Amino acid sequence: MTNQELADLIFPNITKTVEDYELMYPKRVLPEGAKVVRFAPSPTGFMHIGNMMSATINYCLAKSSNGVFFLRNEDTDQKRSVEGSVDFIYHTLDYYHIMPDEYEYNGEVVGSYGPYIQSKRIEIYHTFIKYLISIGRAYPCFLTSAELEEIRAYQSKSKRRIGIYGRYAKFRDVPNEELAQRIKNGEKFVIRFRSEGDFNKKFIFEDLTKGKIEMPQNDIDVPIMKSENLLPTYHFAHVIDDHLMRTTHVVRGEEWMSSVPLHFELFAAFGFKMPKYIHTSLILKKDGDTIRKISKRKDPEALMFFYEEKGYPYLAVIDAVLTIANSNFEEWRTNHPDTPFYCFPFSPKKMSSSGALFDLDKLDNISKNIIAKMPAETLYEEYLEWAKKYDEHVYNLITNHKDDTISFLNIERTCKKPRKDYENYSSIYHKTWYIYDEEWDKEEITYDFGKITDKDEIKKIMREYLNNYYNESDTEEVWFNKIKELCDKLNYCSDMKKYKEKPAAYKGNVADFTTIMRVVLTTSSMTPNLYDIMKILGRDRMQHRFEIFLKKY
Ligand code: GLU
């Protein structure tokens, strides 16, 4: 029985050929140097920060080279598939503005190299597997799970390499007649690749990040088609899909690095050109004094839900990811503060090969800068959008008090060095709640007084100020002169220099004095410009805040 006859027996309905698919998916016509890249997640979990890094790098590589970025849904592990995972991938790419040029989602197919969902490509895989069988480079293997387990246990006990190779590849040289008979008997089988590699020989390849790598050649007859659903394994699908979709650069996690010798052999078996590889580093985090791999189970920031729920602007997350992806990103960002991130010339060589340390403080810093640069109206809209999804109370509050919210967010914003108060949208409320009257009824109010805590003294100052000094129409200069006047009158020193010479001669200085008003009006000693806060509140509301204070003391 010939190999072709065996192939026909296993795949009687496959009538297309490898050549047919080559013609269907011709080489892409693209400008010189254009990169064709893909993001190929498996819907077996929710999009995490490692996925995000791959997707962002891919997007940059495609955009900066006028290339193509496509999304491929690698859903061949159907047992582990997680509901909602595909939707979240799509949503995340959209949310972070890193949408692929080609994809398939909710029945919509964009691009002519699809299907972009692996489970819809079975006929393609079978055609290529059929071809491998016909040239003697693949065969059905009938080892049962119990037999496989026995081999594994033996190999591990006798400290041998694990896998089906050499004499463990029991069906490799069984005559086609016997294989055919077993198939006709209905025995379960997988299709294995027939490796021609030699473990004692070297395989050398150039990873664009890690440089020249030397590994033993592959000699394992890996399964390329599983018995259930007749779906391909990752290794096989990678080779076929990235060939037919004309991928030029594969960006993937470094856990795949050890499979490169196998992938090389598979590409070579078909005579395909291998894409270039960029194996991305593990994402690490600091945990006390140690540095460890970020964990989807232990670290909420490992999953992309976290950043949306906290309300980080999408650009902050992208910049934070690129900061750990490339050592020169920060410098590039400093020199190009307003350039879109995807113009960044990502360089695989500038990716740390030992691991990328992700640091939430760094993200907070990046985010504070981005939020500080937004016009108040834009920030309000973003904040509102976030609240709509994540915080109903805040949503209602800022919807009902739109003008006050924008005016407050605008304090010290339009100047050269705007305030950097907020690292994300969920932190805004905690620093702004006091501008909303209704929050004063609910909150268990605690005042954060500084040096002056004597309640009678505070009452005296507030009374005098509100009755005889405050005027809503004063300019900031007049307002401050009045404060200084009252300050001196009550024996606080309005001149810092004078105060420092003889502090004991005064009850306090002008800063202590304004702190009193600041705390009575906001409860906090750390707020934006008091003049602006008073302007937003106006006399009546200031009076009301003072009454709340009086009621409490
Ligand atoms: N589906 C694989 C994964 O999620 C993709 C690896 C690759 O990009 O080739 O790890």
Side-chain angles (χ1 to χ4, degrees):
M1 184 181 212
T2 64
N3 290 330
Q4 185 62 55
E5 283 162 346
L6 180 66
D8 287 336
L9 174 74
I10 298 175
F11 296 109
N13 301 322
I14 294 295
T15 50
K16 284 207 182 72
T17 64
V18 166
E19 289 72 36
D20 291 336
Y21 286 111
E22 291 291 343
L23 291 173
M24 251 167 96
Y25 304 109
K27 224 177 147 230
R28 293 172 185 262
V29 184
L30 291 169
E32 175 87 24
K35 297 185 171 79
V36 179
V37 291
R38 80 302 188 271
F39 176 46
S42 302
T44 50
F46 290 102
M47 180 116 173
H48 54 77
I49 190 84
N51 292 142
M52 182 67 192
M53 185 157 87
S54 291
T56 310
I57 293 173
N58 277 311
Y59 190 84
C60 289
L61 289 175
K63 294 297 147 197
S64 61
S65 69
N66 290 317
V68 177
F69 171 40
F70 66 85
L71 172 66
R72 184 170 68 225
N73 177 353
E74 304 216 323
D75 63 343
T76 58
D77 194 350
Q78 304 205 317
K79 271 195 236 139
R80 286 177 53 223
S81 124
V82 170
E83 172 135 18
S85 159
V86 169
D87 293 331
F88 189 60
I89 290 165
Y90 190 84
H91 161 81
T92 307
L93 297 179
D94 183 40
Y95 181 86
Y96 288 99
H97 298 59
I98 47 173
M99 273 299 281
D101 306 299
E102 298 174 7
Y103 59 88
E104 185 162 349
Y105 179 65
N106 258 350
E108 184 196 14
V109 188
V110 180
S112 41
Y113 285 78
Y116 295 91
I117 301 177
Q118 285 186 332
S119 57
K120 292 192 178 177
R121 299 174 64 79
I122 295 189
E123 195 186 337
I124 301 178
Y125 303 127
H126 286 184
T127 305
F128 283 75
I129 293 174
K130 185 172 184 180
Y131 167 76
L132 279 189
I133 297 173
S134 76
I135 61 164
R137 291 302 306 274
Y139 62 93
C141 167
F142 300 86
L143 287 170
T144 61
S145 332
E147 284 170 312
L148 287 168
E149 193 33 57
E150 202 178 306
I151 294 173
R152 167 179 270 280
Y154 172 75
Q155 289 171 334
S156 119
K157 208 174 95 201
S158 54
K159 302 217 162 19
R160 287 175 163 81
R161 274 190 302 128
I162 307 288
I164 300 304
Y165 55 91
R167 67 190 172 94
Y168 306 105
K170 200 170 130 193
F171 288 91
R172 203 179 143 100
D173 296 317
V174 168
N176 286 345
E177 286 69 16
E178 187 189 327
L179 300 175
Q181 194 52 53
R182 285 178 181 257
I183 290 168
K184 284 180 197 149
N185 295 345
E187 281 184 47
K188 263 175 97 179
F189 62 93
V190 300
I191 303 287
R192 286 187 187 272
F193 179 53
R194 183 193 302 271
S195 171
E196 289 176 354
D198 178 346
F199 186 75
N200 297 311
K201 286 194 182 145
K202 275 185 190 131
F203 166 76
I204 298 176
F205 101 107
E206 180 91 22
D207 181 80
L208 294 190
T209 297
K210 320 233 173 212
K212 213 181 205 171
I213 306 274
E214 254 188 46
M215 287 187 257
Q217 288 183 4
N218 173 65
D219 68 345
I220 298 188
D221 285 1
V222 294
I224 54 177
M225 188 184 89
K226 308 179 225 183
S227 58
E228 24 353 292
N229 307 326
L230 308 182
L231 284 167
T233 56
Y234 166 76
H235 305 297
F236 191 73
H238 155 51
V239 170
I240 302 308
D241 292 348
D242 284 318
H243 172 70
L244 291 179
M245 294 174 168
R246 309 292 168 182
T247 305
T248 61
H249 291 69
V250 169
V251 179
R252 64 181 181 188
E254 71 175 14
E255 67 274 19
W256 295 112
M257 181 89 129
S258 57
S259 305
V260 176
L262 161 66
H263 298 164
F264 169 80
E265 223 197 331
L266 282 165
F267 276 105
F270 287 105
F272 297 158
K273 186 171 175 237
M274 222 182 166
K276 295 197 162 61
Y277 289 93
I278 296 171
H279 286 99
T280 59
S281 316
L282 288 177
I283 301 203
L284 308 173
K285 81 167 259 171
K286 238 181 140 172
D287 188 356
D289 289 339
T290 55
I291 288 180
R292 61 164 173 82
K293 203 180 142 196
I294 204 160
S295 148
K296 280 180 259 175
R297 270 162 295 279
K298 276 195 262 172
D299 308 313
E301 74 271 28
L303 290 173
M304 295 312 293
F305 297 118
F306 175 84
Y307 305 93
E308 254 187 271
E309 278 168 23
K310 290 266 178 205
Y312 284 99
Y314 84 89
L315 276 175
V317 178
I318 294 261
D319 272 19
V321 163
L322 286 173
T323 301
I324 60 164
N326 243 188
S327 56
N328 58 334
F329 179 77
E330 260 185 294
E331 192 188 329
W332 180 84
R333 181 46 93 211
T334 310
N335 298 331
H336 304 82
D338 301 315
T339 307
F341 69 89
Y342 50 80
C343 298
F344 170 63
F346 174 83
S347 156
K349 287 219 157 51
K350 297 210 166 94
M351 175 150 205
S352 149
S353 53
S354 55
L357 186 62
F358 190 68
D359 171 359
L360 281 177
D361 293 339
K362 180 101 216 163
L363 169 65
D364 284 351
N365 262 328
I366 293 172
S367 192
K368 276 184 181 167
N369 278 312
I370 290 177
I371 293 180
K373 280 203 224 156
M374 289 179 183
E377 291 75 12
T378 311
L379 174 54
Y380 174 81
E381 291 304 330
E382 297 284 335
Y383 182 27
L384 187 72
E385 179 93 11
W386 168 84
K388 192 172 176 184
K389 201 161 164 195
Y390 295 105
D391 194 327
E392 199 188 336
H393 175 67
V394 167
Y395 179 74
N396 292 332
L397 203 59
I398 67 175
T399 303
N400 296 337
H401 300 286
K402 179 173 177 180
D403 292 346
D404 274 0
T405 307
I406 294 179
S407 303
F408 187 87
L409 294 175
N410 202 37
I411 301 176
E412 293 173 77
R413 178 166 292 271
T414 51
C415 47
K416 215 166 159 226
K417 278 203 168 160
R419 288 180 67 91
K420 295 177 184 171
D421 287 320
Y422 316 114
E423 62 274 22
N424 50 43
Y425 308 133
S426 62
S427 68
I428 299 180
Y429 171 79
H430 306 286
K431 293 176 183 165
T432 57
W433 66 269
Y434 53 78
I435 51 172
Y436 310 106
D437 293 343
E438 52 266 59
E439 299 304 286
W440 288 75
D441 301 336
K442 274 180 245 144
E443 287 275 332
E444 181 49 42
I445 305 291
T446 51
Y447 293 92
D448 162 30
F449 283 108
K451 201 156 101 191
I452 317 292
T453 51
D454 176 352
K455 305 299 176 302
D456 290 331
E457 177 73 4
I458 295 170
K459 284 178 203 167
K460 190 170 93 191
I461 292 171
M462 285 308 289
R463 217 168 257 135
E464 178 91 352
Y465 181 70
L466 286 171
N467 291 342
N468 305 321
Y469 287 80
Y470 182 68
N471 184 335
E472 276 185 29
S473 54
D474 284 344
T475 61
E476 189 162 357
E477 202 190 339
V478 174
W479 169 85
F480 195 48
N481 285 337
K482 283 185 177 175
I483 286 187
K484 287 201 279 196
E485 197 186 313
L486 177 60
C487 189
D488 289 326
K489 185 178 152 194
L490 299 177
N491 195 30
Y492 290 78
C493 185
S494 69
D495 183 333
M496 280 309 236
K497 231 168 108 195
K498 256 167 75 186
Y499 174 74
K500 273 188 192 140
E501 281 162 17
K502 241 164 122 194
Y506 306 96
K507 287 193 210 160
N509 60 40
V510 66
D512 303 323
F513 192 80
T514 48
T515 297
I516 290 167
M517 290 191 247
R518 196 185 293 277
V519 175
V520 171
L521 298 177
T522 70
T523 74
S524 166
S525 57
M526 312 257 284
T527 75
N529 188 347
L530 187 58
Y531 172 76
D532 292 307
I533 293 181
M534 288 190 180
K535 263 226 123 47
I536 294 171
L537 293 175
R539 167 179 297 283
D540 294 348
R541 290 166 75 197
M542 283 164 64
Q543 185 64 40
H544 178 63
R545 303 283 155 96
F546 181 40
E547 274 149 27
I548 294 175
F549 174 80
L550 290 176
K551 231 188 257 163
K552 193 162 168 99
Y553 299 103

